[in-house]
Amino acid sequence: MATVMATTKQGERTLGRVYDFIVEYMTANLYAPGVREIGEGVGLTSTSTVYYYLGILADRGLIEMKKYLCRAIKLVGYHLEKDKD
């Protein structure tokens, strides 16, 4: 599978912001953010654009996601669990 690149340096920065938002959100909440939440968190108004960046992250192997399911994002290489207080 070919590595998909965002087309510009700005696109790469946005891609990084999307990934960082997902990591921070999932670390804090222990579940994935919705597409609209990701958009709001990084300043993207179009859900299509968010899906575009999620597709790139999935192609790069950083996330796994099930299409058409809400909050169906999994971070590859992370194991998140609730603190045992």
Side-chain angles (χ1 to χ4, degrees), residues 15-67:
L15 185 66
R17 289 194 340 258
V18 168
Y19 182 73
D20 290 343
F21 179 84
I22 294 168
V23 170
E24 290 171 17
Y25 188 98
M26 290 182 74
T27 301
N29 298 292
L30 301 178
Y31 59 87
V35 172
R36 285 189 176 88
E37 289 171 309
I38 295 168
E40 289 171 8
V42 299
L44 297 173
T45 57
S46 167
T47 56
S48 289
T49 304
V50 175
Y51 276 115
Y52 168 76
Y53 285 111
L54 291 175
I56 294 172
L57 291 172
D59 286 345
R60 290 184 182 180
L62 297 171
I63 66 169
E64 293 175 357
M65 62 180 216
K66 295 183 181 178
K67 221 170 186 173

Side-chain angles (χ1 to χ4, degrees), residues 59-79:
D59 286 345
R60 290 184 182 180
L62 297 171
I63 66 169
E64 293 175 357
M65 62 180 216
K66 295 183 181 178
K67 221 170 186 173
Y68 310 115
L69 292 177
C70 185
R71 301 184 188 276
I73 298 170
K74 178 182 175 191
L75 289 168
V76 174
Y78 280 80
H79 177 76

